[in-house]
Amino acid sequence: MEVHNTMVQAAAVFPTYRNTTPIQRAEFLEKIGVEIEALGPDLIQTAMRESNLPEARLLGERGRTVNQLKLFANLLREGSWVEAVIDSAQPERTPPRPDLRKMLVPMGPVVVFGASNFPFAFSTAGGDTASALAAGCPVVIKGHPGHPDTSAMVFGAMQKAAQACNLPTHVVQHIAGSDFALGQALVEHPETKGVAFTGSLHGGMALVEYARNRKVPIPVFAEMGSLNPVVLMPEKLEQEAESLAKQLAASATLGMGQFCTKPGIVLGVDGEAMDHFIRTWAGEVPSIGVAPMLHAGIHKNYTVGLEKALAQPGLGLLGQTAAEVSGIQPKAALALVDAETFMQNPTLHEEVFGPYALIIKCKDAAELGQVLQALEGQLTLTLMATEADLQKNPALVQSATEIAGRVIVNGVPTGVEVVASMTHGGPFPATTDSRFTSVGSDAIKRWARPVSYQNFPQSILPEALQDGNPLDIWRTVDGVFSK
Amino acid sequence: MEVHNTMVQAAAVFPTYRNTTPIQRAEFLEKIGVEIEALGPDLIQTAMRESNLPEARLLGERGRTVNQLKLFANLLREGSWVEAVIDSAQPERTPPRPDLRKMLVPMGPVVVFGASNFPFAFSTAGGDTASALAAGCPVVIKGHPGHPDTSAMVFGAMQKAAQACNLPTHVVQHIAGSDFALGQALVEHPETKGVAFTGSLHGGMALVEYARNRKVPIPVFAEMGSLNPVVLMPEKLEQEAESLAKQLAASATLGMGQFCTKPGIVLGVDGEAMDHFIRTWAGEVPSIGVAPMLHAGIHKNYTVGLEKALAQPGLGLLGQTAAEVSGIQPKAALALVDAETFMQNPTLHEEVFGPYALIIKCKDAAELGQVLQALEGQLTLTLMATEADLQKNPALVQSATEIAGRVIVNGVPTGVEVVASMTHGGPFPATTDSRFTSVGSDAIKRWARPVSYQNFPQSILPEALQDGNPLDIWRTVDGVFSK
């Protein structure tokens, strides 16, 4: 009943909210950022208590979240994201060509399932919410049970912002609870028009299944994690085996490995440099510091997943955290496997969310290429390479772009910039639809659909499509891009 | 086995084809058009024999098909469709911001299921094929069994064009056959990355089901028809009841009603003008000329669908073709129902593909609004309205844009312009994904996904993302749209 009332309210405010001006929505998003900051140290303390994340990290993440809201506010102020296209009438043609104009319009109420690993940036007022609100869609947030108080506080800030901006109360709503049926009811409700999710393959696919079985199926954008392969190319490995090992050891255990873009597998060709790389990384592992994971559920999944991985035949453990761990602290781990064993065992292709990485030793470059071909879709793929390495291996560079949504040269995949050029997405099972991203300004496109207006009088057309271009946006008019 | 070999070949040419230049692909598309025209009267005669469509219509459709290929060729020559975005590195920032660049890349082999009602424009070398080839995806065409010889001839023209352009033979392939299992095998093959379909709800949803049950689900863009509601607004109806009736009588039976955008239901408020409208249209029906339908299957579906519709309680037949019909000639029909009966009977919401329309008489404007709310997603919605009608009813105009992909003022929905501003799409069940269109230049976006390139050396970046902008395309560079 709570779900039904909530979704009906969301649908009821849609006609009002979709008709707000871009500036009104921009001001709303900015105001949400202001209200979140106004929660001050209380919010940070609450999030620390609920997520076990350190203060500095949460301060940074709060900043990132506010900037993300500003990114979408700027996108709205600039205005061209609606992709306005105008093709003028040609009354003299046989048959006469009508006046035809097109722009993106919001889809309707969106349900957002927050992630636990970013209690601000990928949760209540995170990128999914910000992009849907920017598009003109009312949002219903399913608060993550891992940080209920944090979520409630952030939602409170959003309510204040809505009030300050004279927007209807129900433009954002929040439902708390850890009951699985709650999520199902939200996805299945007829007034729900789209769903955003960040989390596990299992969780994401459950939502997809609910969405598919509706009378009217709806799009679910689920970001479901990734192995984020790192490829050590020969010249680079030869030159920098040691520093690469140290860099990856740090990236794989940063924040206890609780990032969707944690490097989970590392590929290299057998040889002296590779052995040096392996020894160096193995030497780093025992001394890696420990901290509690986000919550007991994640710690349990990590422990079970790691145990399962390490029990696979042919897998060798290279090192583990030496310190005693207690409570929900994880032991970081590094393992080694040969390429053939990896390719034959699907269990080794499953993400282990936490501070664990697997090194895959290949006999030669051809076998390394085969491993890449055998991989499923990924959020990121990293090439540790000299320019000559890349120039000599165009097929490998190309296959990297076919596997992943983001290909990185000489960097770690952790760290996802919130910019227009970001793709946080990728082929299945990294996400449910490789044509979209959940980070960066294009995340808004998940929640908008094109509508063509044929022979509309000027007075009835949306401003974005009127002759005078009152919004001063970039448009394609009779094939010419102009402002 | 044929399916397996075909899809493996398609996958094998993908690395070559995706690396062709935009100009090469533009020349290929143009050459396909030239080769289709070179088939001359033979092609038209073959299509006439197989589809029962008249010569003039097929000549027009051939022109439209060639123009459609040119539209995508022009899109490629212009080049900005890849949506290139560049955000420069900020090495001085803490942490340093990497160089990040993004563009659209092709998804991989696409399977196209041609439609029978447009043997050229929505079939073998139609919009689905043209848009996928433009994106850089190899295409496998499942020839429609309604026009096998036409399809084979057009495919021959495509092969000639591929050869003339020095492209690999398997960049386009063709599989003939009416076996249902063939379509299933094509959608289920692991090398298939996307599917295009135009046809019935039943057929489209079968393909969707196959695609969902794959280990790796893939997007199916299925255009599955529509009722294309027409709303008669009061002032307009008052002024032009008679001419509206004649215009709609012609549109609903044009080409024996065999268009996805045929006006299938017409809504108006009870009164003298409405009665005049109904009488006039009813008077037109008996004298409507007859012609054979596309094929026996469509004729049978029409006969069965019409019988089922007319048997629904509360439905009144207003008129039918007076002439004797024979073979696969249909009887055009017009029926009347009151709004309440319509809203309560889901059978009346099903498309009857052929020369049939249903007039829905509403008690008042409020009830008319309720009917709109009760409708499923539509390709088009037409408002017959004076400017004052529209100005007085903003909520109705808005709900029209929520129901349909294209909203038309004072025109008939038949006639789908192939331009950038076209949306041939709409909410489910009109299509499987309201965020895309199958007609117009944006149809290419169904087959492309964004990839971000992080910290790539200039020499390895695709041309579209290189500093010097060698392709001279519009790009977003550090937030500024420029060329």
Side-chain angles (χ1 to χ4, degrees):
Chain A
M1 205 55 202
E2 188 195 3
V3 166
H4 178 69
N5 289 341
T6 304
M7 293 315 310
V8 167
Q9 296 279 18
V13 299
F14 179 47
T16 308
Y17 188 57
R18 71 167 283 190
N19 280 331
T20 51
T21 65
I23 302 302
Q24 281 178 295
R25 295 203 299 282
E27 285 168 354
F28 177 39
L29 294 175
E30 287 159 347
K31 185 70 176 165
I32 292 172
V34 169
E35 292 295 345
I36 288 173
E37 281 177 335
L39 292 170
D42 267 10
L43 177 65
I44 302 295
Q45 295 298 324
T46 306
M48 284 170 69
R49 172 172 57 76
E50 290 189 321
S51 71
N52 299 314
L53 291 170
E55 185 174 19
R57 149 71 196 271
L58 287 167
L59 285 169
E61 190 184 326
R62 186 182 64 185
R64 174 201 175 94
T65 306
V66 172
N67 282 336
Q68 191 162 248
L69 290 158
K70 285 183 188 161
L71 176 89
F72 287 106
N74 292 340
L75 190 75
L76 293 172
R77 289 186 188 281
E78 196 282 330
S80 308
W81 76 274
V82 298
E83 298 179 1
V85 184
I86 299 176
D87 288 302
S88 306
Q90 295 179 353
E92 72 291 348
R93 200 194 63 173
T94 321
R97 192 173 90 169
D99 179 284
L100 205 57
R101 300 167 189 239
K102 176 166 81 160
M103 67 179 288
L104 296 177
V105 304
M107 275 172 16
V110 170
V111 171
V112 171
F113 289 81
S116 69
N117 62 336
F118 282 87
F120 300 143
F122 281 81
S123 188
T124 319
D128 288 333
T129 299
S131 58
L133 288 176
C137 298
V139 170
V140 173
I141 298 148
K142 162 71 181 61
H144 196 285
H147 50 262
D149 294 346
T150 307
S151 195
M153 286 179 80
V154 171
F155 175 60
M158 299 182 79
Q159 283 184 297
K160 270 196 180 174
Q163 199 167 19
C165 296
N166 290 314
L167 290 170
T169 314
H170 296 107
V171 67
V172 279
Q173 297 177 87
H174 187 265
I175 293 193
S178 57
D179 187 5
F180 214 64
L182 194 60
Q184 178 172 1
L186 284 165
V187 176
E188 288 178 344
H189 197 279
E191 297 291 4
T192 304
K193 301 297 180 206
V195 175
F197 170 86
T198 304
S200 68
L201 180 62
H202 178 75
M205 289 311 289
L207 301 184
V208 165
E209 206 54 33
Y210 304 145
R212 282 175 180 172
N213 294 333
R214 291 166 51 114
K215 184 166 170 272
V216 175
I218 50 170
V220 174
F221 187 86
E223 189 267 80
M224 303 180 289
S226 180
L227 295 174
N228 303 297
V230 176
V231 177
L232 309 170
M233 295 187 72
E235 191 175 86
K236 185 75 173 180
L237 182 61
E238 200 66 47
Q239 290 172 3
E240 299 179 30
E242 192 161 325
S243 64
L244 288 172
K246 288 183 178 170
Q247 190 184 11
L248 287 168
S251 175
T253 53
L254 181 73
M256 292 297 101
Q258 297 170 112
F259 295 110
C260 312
T261 54
K262 175 207 74 176
I265 60 172
V266 180
L267 289 74
V269 172
D270 199 8
E272 219 172 286
M274 186 66 182
D275 287 340
H276 184 39
F277 170 85
I278 294 171
R279 275 195 312 274
T280 309
W281 189 343
E284 296 287 314
V285 180
S287 59
I288 282 162
V290 289
M293 294 188 85
L294 290 155
H295 54 79
I298 281 201
H299 178 259
K300 191 184 163 198
N301 285 345
Y302 174 67
T303 312
V304 171
L306 180 62
E307 204 169 313
K308 187 176 163 196
L310 296 179
Q312 299 304 307
L315 202 89
L317 181 67
L318 291 173
Q320 251 189 322
T321 310
E324 281 296 304
V325 294
S326 65
I328 59 171
Q329 294 171 338
K331 268 196 189 276
L334 179 69
L336 178 69
V337 74
D338 65 81
E340 211 175 309
T341 307
F342 176 79
M343 285 191 279
Q344 280 163 7
N345 187 346
T347 299
L348 297 177
H349 297 235
E350 289 169 16
E351 181 183 14
V352 179
F353 193 79
Y356 164 70
L358 175 64
I359 300 176
I360 301 166
K361 206 193 258 186
C362 306
K363 281 190 306 230
D364 49 31
E367 193 177 52
L368 192 150
Q370 286 163 19
V371 174
L372 289 184
Q373 293 295 326
L375 289 176
E376 296 183 295
Q378 306 288 337
L379 292 170
T380 73
L381 192 146
T382 301
L383 301 169
M384 297 296 193
T386 63
E387 195 161 344
D389 278 329
L390 297 170
Q391 275 159 348
K392 277 183 217 152
N393 293 281
L396 188 143
V397 175
Q398 174 146 320
S399 80
T401 66
E402 278 162 32
I403 294 164
R406 177 164 57 110
V407 182
I408 302 147
V409 173
N410 297 330
V412 292
T414 42
V416 180
E417 292 295 329
V418 184
V419 287
S421 53
M422 175 52 65
T423 305
H424 189 66
F428 186 90
T431 75
T432 42
D433 195 334
S434 66
R435 294 170 297 181
F436 296 96
T437 175
S438 67
V439 176
S441 26
D442 281 347
I444 199 173
K445 295 194 183 169
R446 296 174 297 170
W447 320 122
R449 42 178 280 267
V451 170
S452 296
Y453 298 76
Q454 184 171 323
N455 279 349
F456 266 57
Q458 287 291 317
S459 68
I460 310 297
L461 277 172
E463 284 193 315
L465 298 178
Q466 289 172 10
D467 279 347
N469 194 9
L471 299 179
D472 192 29
I473 58 177
W474 286 97
R475 314 191 293 187
T476 305
V477 181
D478 294 322
V480 177
F481 217 77
S482 62
K483 194 163 175 167
Chain B
M1 204 55 202
E2 186 194 4
V3 166
H4 178 68
N5 290 341
T6 303
M7 294 315 309
V8 167
Q9 297 279 20
V13 300
F14 179 46
T16 308
Y17 188 58
R18 70 167 282 190
N19 280 331
T20 50
T21 65
I23 303 301
Q24 282 178 294
R25 295 203 298 283
E27 285 169 353
F28 177 39
L29 294 175
E30 287 159 349
K31 185 71 176 163
I32 292 172
V34 169
E35 293 294 344
I36 288 173
E37 281 178 335
L39 292 170
D42 267 11
L43 178 67
I44 301 296
Q45 294 299 324
T46 306
M48 283 170 71
R49 172 173 56 78
E50 290 189 322
S51 71
N52 299 313
L53 292 170
E55 185 175 19
R57 150 70 195 273
L58 286 168
L59 284 169
E61 190 184 326
R62 186 182 63 185
R64 176 200 175 93
T65 306
V66 171
N67 282 337
Q68 192 161 248
L69 290 158
K70 285 182 189 161
L71 176 89
F72 286 107
N74 292 340
L75 190 76
L76 292 173
R77 289 185 188 282
E78 197 281 330
S80 308
W81 76 274
V82 297
E83 299 179 2
V85 183
I86 298 176
D87 287 302
S88 306
Q90 295 179 354
E92 71 292 349
R93 200 195 64 175
T94 319
R97 193 173 89 169
D99 179 285
L100 205 58
R101 298 166 190 239
K102 177 166 82 160
M103 67 179 287
L104 296 177
V105 303
M107 275 171 18
V110 169
V111 171
V112 170
F113 289 81
S116 69
N117 61 336
F118 283 87
F120 301 143
F122 281 82
S123 187
T124 318
D128 288 332
T129 298
S131 59
L133 288 176
C137 298
V139 170
V140 173
I141 299 148
K142 162 71 180 60
H144 196 285
H147 49 263
D149 295 345
T150 307
S151 195
M153 285 179 79
V154 172
F155 176 60
M158 299 181 80
Q159 283 183 297
K160 270 197 183 174
Q163 199 168 17
C165 297
N166 289 314
L167 290 170
T169 313
H170 297 107
V171 68
V172 279
Q173 297 177 88
H174 187 267
I175 293 193
S178 59
D179 186 4
F180 213 63
L182 194 60
Q184 179 171 0
L186 283 166
V187 176
E188 287 179 346
H189 197 280
E191 297 292 3
T192 305
K193 302 298 180 204
V195 175
F197 169 87
T198 304
S200 69
L201 181 62
H202 179 74
M205 289 312 287
L207 300 185
V208 165
E209 206 54 32
Y210 304 145
R212 282 175 178 171
N213 293 332
R214 292 167 49 115
K215 184 164 170 271
V216 175
I218 51 170
V220 174
F221 186 87
E223 189 267 80
M224 303 179 290
S226 181
L227 295 175
N228 305 297
V230 176
V231 178
L232 308 170
M233 296 187 72
E235 193 176 83
K236 184 77 173 181
L237 183 60
E238 200 66 48
Q239 291 172 4
E240 300 179 30
E242 194 161 323
S243 64
L244 287 172
K246 289 184 176 169
Q247 189 183 13
L248 287 167
S251 175
T253 53
L254 182 72
M256 293 297 102
Q258 298 171 110
F259 295 109
C260 312
T261 54
K262 175 206 74 176
I265 60 172
V266 179
L267 289 75
V269 171
D270 199 7
E272 220 173 286
M274 185 66 182
D275 286 340
H276 184 39
F277 170 85
I278 293 170
R279 274 196 313 273
T280 310
W281 190 343
E284 295 288 314
V285 180
S287 59
I288 282 163
V290 289
M293 294 189 84
L294 289 156
H295 53 81
I298 282 200
H299 178 259
K300 192 184 163 198
N301 286 344
Y302 174 68
T303 311
V304 171
L306 180 63
E307 204 170 311
K308 187 176 163 196
L310 295 178
Q312 299 304 307
L315 202 88
L317 180 67
L318 292 174
Q320 250 187 321
T321 309
E324 281 297 303
V325 294
S326 65
I328 59 172
Q329 293 172 338
K331 267 194 189 278
L334 179 70
L336 177 70
V337 75
D338 66 80
E340 210 174 309
T341 306
F342 177 80
M343 286 190 279
Q344 280 164 8
N345 187 346
T347 298
L348 297 176
H349 297 235
E350 289 169 16
E351 181 184 14
V352 179
F353 193 80
Y356 164 71
L358 175 64
I359 299 176
I360 301 166
K361 206 193 258 188
C362 307
K363 281 188 306 228
D364 49 31
E367 193 177 51
L368 193 149
Q370 286 162 20
V371 174
L372 288 184
Q373 293 295 326
L375 289 177
E376 295 183 297
Q378 306 289 336
L379 292 170
T380 72
L381 192 147
T382 301
L383 301 169
M384 297 296 193
T386 63
E387 194 160 343
D389 279 328
L390 297 170
Q391 274 159 349
K392 277 183 215 151
N393 293 282
L396 188 141
V397 175
Q398 174 146 320
S399 80
T401 67
E402 278 161 34
I403 293 165
R406 178 164 57 110
V407 182
I408 302 147
V409 172
N410 296 331
V412 290
T414 41
V416 180
E417 292 295 330
V418 183
V419 287
S421 53
M422 175 52 66
T423 305
H424 189 66
F428 186 91
T431 76
T432 42
D433 195 334
S434 66
R435 294 170 297 180
F436 296 96
T437 175
S438 66
V439 175
S441 27
D442 281 347
I444 199 173
K445 295 194 183 169
R446 297 174 295 169
W447 320 121
R449 41 177 281 265
V451 169
S452 296
Y453 299 76
Q454 184 170 323
N455 280 347
F456 266 55
Q458 287 291 317
S459 68
I460 311 297
L461 278 171
E463 284 192 314
L465 297 178
Q466 289 172 10
D467 279 347
N469 194 9
L471 299 179
D472 192 29
I473 59 177
W474 285 96
R475 314 192 293 187
T476 305
V477 181
D478 294 322
V480 178
F481 217 76
S482 62
K483 195 165 174 165

